[in-house]
Amino acid sequence: MQIIEMKAIRSIYYTHKRFLLRNPTRLSVSLSFLSRHFHSSNARLALNSPETDGTHETHRVWTAFEPLTGELYTSSSSRESSNQYDESGSEDGANADFETEGTYGKAKSANLSDGEKAQKGFSDFNNRSRYSSNENADEMSRKKAFSGNELVFGDIVGNKKKGKGKVRWVCEYCGYSDGQWWGVCRSCDNSGTMRRFSEVETKNRGLEFSETVVRSWLPKDAGDVEPVRLVDVTRGIKKMDYRIPLSGPFGNEVARVLGGGLVPGSLVLIGGDPGVGKSTLLLQVAALIAEGHGLGQPACVVYVSGEESVEQISSRADRMKIGANELYLYSGTDIEDILVKIRPRSPRAVVVDSIQTVYLKEVIGSAGGLSQVRECTSALLRFAKKTNIPVLLAGHVTKTGEIAGPRVLEHIVDAVLYLEGEKCSSHRLLRPVKNRFGSTDELGVFEMSQLGLQAVSNPSEMFLSDQNSDSEFLAGLAVAVIMDGSRAFLIEIQALCVSSSTVSRHVNGIQASRADMIISVLAKQAGLKIQENAVFLNVVSGVSLTETAGDLAVAASICSSFLEFPIPSGVAFIGEIGLGGELRMVSRMDKRVSTVAKLGYKKCIVPMIAEKSLATLDFGKMEIIGCKDLKGVINTVFTKY
């Protein structure tokens, strides 16, 4: 029997050697192929291992590894046990038919030599390997067992992970990466240094991760939540606990925009142009909460910055004279790290500056990308709602003035505030665009100074220029009252009529079509012959006049310059002009007139219908004069005085 086994080994050895020579691409496979990838359950050779199942047939089983596909192939064949060995002691495989039957075909050979038969078997093996690469993976995984002559395909341990991924070529000398192979590195010009790497994309687990992190803040039975009656929700809660108060002139101005204070568990997004003062505003709000003037005692607040180091933030706080002991600074961009580090502090509020710099490691994409911004905001929202800790975010804006990132970002947060301001002006306006806990008609007015943002004590006169003239009359100057949110502002409108000029008309801060209409109505309905004159209109302080309440002030300034009759100081104009020259009512007339009265104006020109509605209100010593049309305004202002 030993002679038969030696013949079988010799036959397979020489056949495998010829197989390697005919397939030079597989020369990297060592000759240990036989000892490593042919196996049997007993001491006999796998190719010659008979297993009897009690019948007259024996089953031969062998398993081989295909290096190109990385799979194991297991095959079995059956023959009668009486033909297993012949009388001369030669192997059955040398004299009997070599028969292999599988899924993709059947190969038979008869009366062949040992080497030819073995070579035929390797050829069939290669054909199966080529076909198996196109077989459905699910169909392959279902073939767990074999019977008779069926082939079984299986994945070998250590096979490459299946999934989508990108291939990158990275230079091992300088680290340059490229999407394709060039032979030489395009950065350092070294050849043979490009190595192939595969980037396998991972599943986006941002929601799962954020839930896991936030869950560590909650008690163990937090998942057992049941519906609660409305009266039980507010029972035992003081009304003052609904808001975190912000004290002082600055705090009152911010609280006005937020609807009365900062709501616990809310997510507030503050946007604005670079350099407008978002970080300054957030640092001042954090200092107010940390000092705890409205709460009676200091409270911990964590200020997280992904753009500045703690030394830079401390330098800015020192310049602004901020010295709150419970204000903690942290510089980081990893959301997981941020939530883990602030957990031991149990802060009253958290500030993140900015949302475009933080990221989640489990989310694909770089910081500031659409997916990162959306998932980070969602994670912070769940953190705020489940821990009742308010979170304030700073957000950059695009060239069009909108918050950078996906539009859904503004739908996720509870409040969106925009900090606006011109580069040539020190004034800043904090305007709410969305507020789930208050009105969006409020407006905060600040002035940027060396100590940070300061609340403007009298915003109504911030757009009024200083009248340094010796006379109390200024020709071509009229005061209009406009509304921005719930705030009333007084602005100055200047007009200049020139009889000879190369430019027929020029306006600044007023809609050109609106100015043309007012000039045409003055010429047609008031009888002023101003068609031959060049008219220049300007709004002081660079403000844009967009509402129709300033029509009467524009017409009064043009009449003053054309008639060369100055309008007395202390007179304001409120009203809309129709095409027939009539004066029309505008909204919030009582609010506008009340603001004029607080600033000490003597007279206010309004439409006739508004005079009747304002007669019941007390405006002090200010006189309200009602006019029906433009002719009445001219007779009242330019002839009575």
Side-chain angles (χ1 to χ4, degrees):
M1 301 296 278
Q2 296 179 356
I3 298 176
I4 296 175
E5 294 175 354
M6 293 299 296
K7 286 183 178 181
I9 295 176
R10 188 183 302 110
S11 176
I12 296 175
Y13 174 79
Y14 285 108
T15 303
H16 180 61
K17 187 175 181 180
R18 290 194 300 271
F19 169 73
L20 293 177
L21 294 176
R22 294 181 180 180
N23 298 271
T25 59
R26 304 192 183 185
L27 288 179
S28 59
V29 181
S30 64
L31 292 180
S32 61
F33 179 89
L34 296 176
S35 62
R36 288 193 300 113
H37 303 297
F38 286 92
H39 60 84
S40 177
S41 59
N42 53 27
R44 302 181 61 86
L45 293 174
L47 188 62
N48 250 357
S49 175
E51 296 179 7
T52 305
D53 56 2
T55 62
H56 295 288
E57 295 183 354
T58 57
H59 298 274
R60 297 182 181 180
V61 182
W62 66 86
T63 305
F65 171 69
E66 169 55 34
L68 289 184
T69 61
E71 296 175 340
L72 286 173
Y73 298 89
T74 304
S75 177
S76 69
S77 63
S78 62
R79 340 191 20 220
E80 293 183 359
S81 59
S82 60
N83 294 331
Q84 181 178 357
Y85 300 101
D86 57 16
E87 297 179 356
S88 60
S90 63
E91 184 186 1
D92 295 338
N95 297 322
D97 293 343
F98 185 88
E99 184 174 287
T100 305
E101 186 175 353
T103 304
Y104 300 101
K106 185 176 183 181
K108 293 183 177 181
S109 61
N111 300 325
L112 299 178
S113 62
D114 296 344
E116 291 174 342
K117 291 177 181 179
Q119 180 64 33
K120 182 65 175 177
F122 276 110
S123 178
D124 294 339
F125 175 77
N126 292 334
N127 291 335
R128 296 187 193 97
S129 301
R130 182 169 60 255
Y131 286 120
S132 65
S133 62
N134 297 325
E135 188 174 1
N136 194 317
D138 296 336
E139 183 179 351
M140 293 168 62
S141 62
R142 287 195 299 266
K143 297 180 179 180
K144 299 293 184 181
F146 59 87
S147 62
N149 295 322
E150 183 180 5
L151 289 178
V152 181
F153 302 90
D155 292 339
I156 191 172
V157 178
N159 198 16
K160 183 179 179 181
K161 183 179 179 180
K162 297 180 181 179
K164 297 182 180 180
K166 296 187 297 182
V167 176
R168 303 290 298 178
W169 294 86
V170 183
C171 177
E172 62 181 3
Y173 180 77
C174 66
Y176 171 77
S177 63
D178 205 326
Q180 57 182 339
W181 183 76
W182 295 95
V184 296
C185 178
R186 304 180 69 181
S187 177
C188 61
D189 295 332
N190 289 332
S191 60
T193 59
M194 302 297 291
R195 297 293 180 264
R196 184 178 184 272
F197 292 90
S198 297
E199 300 177 1
V200 180
E201 295 184 357
T202 59
K203 183 181 178 182
N204 189 333
R205 300 195 298 114
L207 297 178
E208 176 185 350
F209 163 76
S210 60
E211 289 289 348
T212 304
V213 174
V214 174
R215 197 177 296 118
S216 62
W217 288 74
L218 305 178
K220 294 183 179 180
D221 59 347
D224 302 333
V225 179
E226 299 293 339
V228 184
R229 292 186 302 175
L230 176 62
V231 293
D232 295 336
V233 175
T234 58
R235 181 178 300 170
I237 301 178
K238 299 179 181 179
K239 188 175 181 181
M240 60 178 299
D241 296 335
Y242 292 154
R243 303 271 181 172
I244 298 178
L246 302 175
S247 60
F250 172 82
N252 293 334
E253 201 72 12
V254 177
R256 175 200 296 271
V257 180
L258 292 173
L262 185 61
V263 178
S266 62
L267 184 63
V268 181
L269 176 63
I270 298 178
D273 295 327
V276 74
K278 300 185 298 295
S279 300
T280 302
L281 176 67
L282 290 174
L283 186 59
Q284 290 183 249
V285 172
L288 280 179
I289 301 176
E291 291 173 357
H293 294 300
L295 300 173
Q297 59 181 357
C300 174
V301 179
V302 180
Y303 184 96
V304 181
S305 178
E307 302 176 346
E308 298 177 288
S309 63
V310 293
E311 291 78 12
Q312 292 173 328
I313 304 173
S314 176
S315 176
R316 178 152 46 89
D318 183 67
R319 174 176 54 84
M320 297 165 57
K321 307 300 182 183
I322 294 177
N325 294 329
E326 293 298 322
L327 178 59
Y328 291 84
L329 307 179
Y330 182 71
S331 179
T333 55
D334 187 359
I335 289 292
E336 177 183 4
D337 179 65
I338 292 172
L339 296 182
V340 170
K341 293 296 178 60
I342 67 177
R343 178 183 179 183
R345 305 292 178 184
S346 297
R348 176 65 61 87
V350 177
V351 178
V352 179
D353 185 13
S354 65
I355 188 60
Q356 281 84 11
T357 59
V358 296
Y359 68 93
L360 277 169
K361 291 187 293 187
E362 299 296 335
V363 178
I364 301 173
S366 59
L370 299 182
S371 59
Q372 283 285 357
V373 171
R374 181 176 60 250
E375 295 299 335
C376 289
T377 306
S378 300
L380 292 174
L381 176 67
R382 284 185 289 276
F383 165 77
K385 298 303 180 184
K386 294 186 177 182
T387 60
N388 208 32
I389 298 176
V391 179
L392 290 88
L393 306 176
H396 300 295
V397 298
T398 60
K399 294 181 179 179
T400 58
E402 298 177 352
I403 298 291
R407 191 67 180 180
V408 71
L409 178 63
E410 299 186 12
H411 299 285
I412 295 175
V413 300
D414 296 317
V416 181
L417 311 180
Y418 278 86
L419 188 61
E420 304 173 354
E422 299 292 336
K423 294 183 179 180
C424 58
S425 176
S426 61
H427 292 95
R428 301 289 187 268
L429 302 178
L430 185 61
R431 189 187 310 275
V433 176
K434 172 188 176 182
N435 192 358
R436 289 174 178 166
F437 313 111
S439 174
T440 57
D441 291 335
E442 298 294 339
L443 186 69
V445 184
F446 304 92
E447 184 177 4
M448 182 64 73
S449 64
Q450 185 71 18
L451 299 178
L453 291 172
Q454 305 294 329
V456 177
S457 58
N458 192 2
S460 301
E461 59 180 5
M462 59 182 292
F463 299 118
L464 297 177
S465 61
D466 295 332
Q467 301 179 5
N468 297 322
S469 176
D470 296 335
S471 174
E472 61 177 358
F473 302 98
L474 292 175
L477 180 63
V479 177
V481 184
I482 62 174
M483 295 292 298
D484 195 336
S486 61
R487 294 290 186 92
F489 298 92
L490 274 64
I491 61 175
E492 295 180 353
I493 299 177
Q494 296 176 334
L496 178 63
C497 296
V498 183
S499 58
S500 60
S501 176
T502 56
V503 180
S504 60
R505 191 167 301 153
H506 182 76
V507 295
N508 184 24
I510 305 174
Q511 296 180 357
S513 58
R514 197 74 186 175
D516 293 341
M517 187 204 73
I518 295 174
I519 293 174
S520 300
V521 171
L522 286 174
K524 177 69 176 178
Q525 306 298 338
L528 298 180
K529 299 180 180 180
I530 59 176
Q531 295 87 350
E532 300 178 356
N533 297 331
V535 179
F536 297 87
L537 293 174
N538 178 51
V539 180
V540 179
S541 301
V543 182
S544 296
L545 180 61
T546 56
E547 60 174 333
T548 58
D551 290 352
L552 185 57
V554 173
S557 63
I558 294 175
C559 293
S560 174
S561 178
F562 178 77
L563 299 175
E564 296 183 357
F565 194 99
I567 299 176
S569 61
V571 178
F573 299 87
I574 305 174
E576 178 182 354
I577 297 178
L579 293 179
E582 73 280 9
L583 301 186
R584 295 180 174 271
M585 187 83 167
V586 294
S587 62
R588 298 187 180 182
M589 183 64 72
D590 55 342
K591 180 72 174 181
R592 299 173 194 266
V593 177
S594 176
T595 302
V596 174
K598 290 180 181 180
L599 294 178
Y601 278 70
K602 301 175 182 179
K603 295 180 176 61
C604 184
I605 309 299
V606 297
M608 184 67 69
I609 190 175
E611 182 182 9
K612 298 178 181 180
S613 62
L614 296 174
T616 58
L617 301 179
D618 183 18
F619 298 106
K621 299 180 180 181
M622 189 184 68
E623 180 184 359
I624 298 177
I625 302 175
C627 299
K628 185 178 180 180
D629 51 17
L630 284 176
K631 290 184 178 180
V633 174
I634 295 175
N635 294 332
T636 302
V637 177
F638 300 104
T639 60
K640 186 176 181 180
Y641 296 99

